[in-house]
């Protein structure tokens, strides 16, 4: 029996005037053929806090929906990724001070993120922003809209519509007659990505590139 495919989550934050401007955050979650898009806003914030709120809201959404599968959270914020994978243990050990002896900024959100992450099987993955990845691009659009309109949004689908991207597919970039597939996801879903890419190629050449 094969392992369950991971829940794919893309998060993003936006601040229209950083710092202390109107901001928004968003979460795009896909499990199988089901998707959830949600976003929120704050009138006075920073870009880093919106990136953090997106990741925090993603974990809360996972708990709300009682998902037990492995989770891959994608973010284009190295602040979020490094904070959760490298820095936070040292901050806690030093009483929420950095190695330079300064108080950790945004401690309130870091503490909540750490708490929400307990018991969840999360893989944190950085993705380059504005690089054509459908999940990241969608999250970016939702976050910017929330920041601009100062409105929250929630919608879910039980099956993908023709207008929706399947986020379980690796990004496909077309260049003339060739299709470039970015193999940045785990080996667990690699075979399915290859199959989808070959179907999309429709007789064109396919080039595989391993992401850094």
């Amino acid at each position: 029996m094969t392992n369950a495919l991971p829940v794919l989550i893309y998060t993003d934050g936006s601040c229209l005037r950083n710092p202390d401007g109107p901001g928004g955050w968003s979460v795009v979650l896909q499990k199988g053929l089901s998707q959830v898009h949600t976003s929120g806003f704050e009138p006075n914030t920073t870009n880093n806090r919106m990136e953090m709120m997106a990741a925090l809201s993603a974990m809360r959404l996972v708990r709300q929906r009682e998902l037990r599968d492995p989770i891959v959270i994608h973010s284009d914020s190295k602040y979020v990724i490094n904070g959760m994978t490298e820095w936070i243990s040292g901050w806690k050990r030093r009483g929420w001070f950095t190695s330079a002896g300064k108080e950790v900024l945004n401690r309130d959100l870091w503490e909540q993120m750490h708490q929400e992450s307990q018991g969840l099987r999360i893989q944190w993955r950085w993705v380059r922003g504005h690089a054509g990845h459908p999940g990241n691009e969608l999250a970016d659009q939702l976050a910017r809209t929330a920041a601009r309109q100062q409105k929250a949004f929630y919608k879910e689908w039980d099956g993908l519509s023709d207008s929706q991207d399947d986020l379980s597919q690796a990004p496909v970039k077309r260049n003339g007659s060739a299709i470039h597939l970015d193999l940045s996801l785990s080996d667990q879903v690699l075979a399915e990505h290859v199959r989808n890419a070959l179907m999309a190629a429709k007789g064109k050449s396919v080039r595989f590139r391993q992401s850094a």
Side-chain angles (χ1 to χ4, degrees), residues 60-78:
R60 288 174 172 169
L61 181 61
V62 167
R63 292 190 181 279
Q64 174 189 337
R65 297 176 72 85
E66 299 183 344
L67 300 178
R68 301 287 185 258
D69 304 301
I71 303 158
V72 182
I73 297 182
H74 302 77
S75 172
D76 59 15
S77 169
K78 289 189 176 180

Side-chain angles (χ1 to χ4, degrees), residues 60-116:
R60 288 174 172 169
L61 181 61
V62 167
R63 292 190 181 279
Q64 174 189 337
R65 297 176 72 85
E66 299 183 344
L67 300 178
R68 301 287 185 258
D69 304 301
I71 303 158
V72 182
I73 297 182
H74 302 77
S75 172
D76 59 15
S77 169
K78 289 189 176 180
Y79 180 65
V80 167
I81 300 298
N82 291 339
M84 291 301 292
T85 61
E86 299 179 21
W87 302 335
I88 199 165
S89 59
W91 290 341
K92 288 183 60 188
R93 187 172 59 253
R94 291 186 293 266
W96 293 100
F97 283 87
T98 69
S99 58
K102 298 180 180 180
E103 291 188 9
V104 172
L105 297 177
N106 304 311
R107 173 180 171 177
D108 58 329
L109 293 182
W110 286 120
E111 288 186 307
Q112 294 178 65
M113 290 171 67
H114 174 71
Q115 180 63 35
E116 290 293 344

Side-chain angles (χ1 to χ4, degrees), residues 162-184:
D162 292 338
S163 63
Q164 287 175 269
D165 286 313
D166 181 358
L167 306 182
S168 67
Q169 297 189 40
V172 175
K173 297 181 180 179
R174 291 173 172 78
N175 181 13
S177 62
I179 289 184
H180 302 265
L181 175 64
D182 191 350
L183 301 179
S184 60

Side-chain angles (χ1 to χ4, degrees), residues 24-43:
W25 55 264
S26 70
V27 177
V28 177
L29 179 152
Q30 179 170 328
K31 176 177 169 56
L33 295 181
S34 298
Q35 273 191 25
V36 176
H37 301 173
T38 185
S39 61
F41 66 94
E42 290 185 12

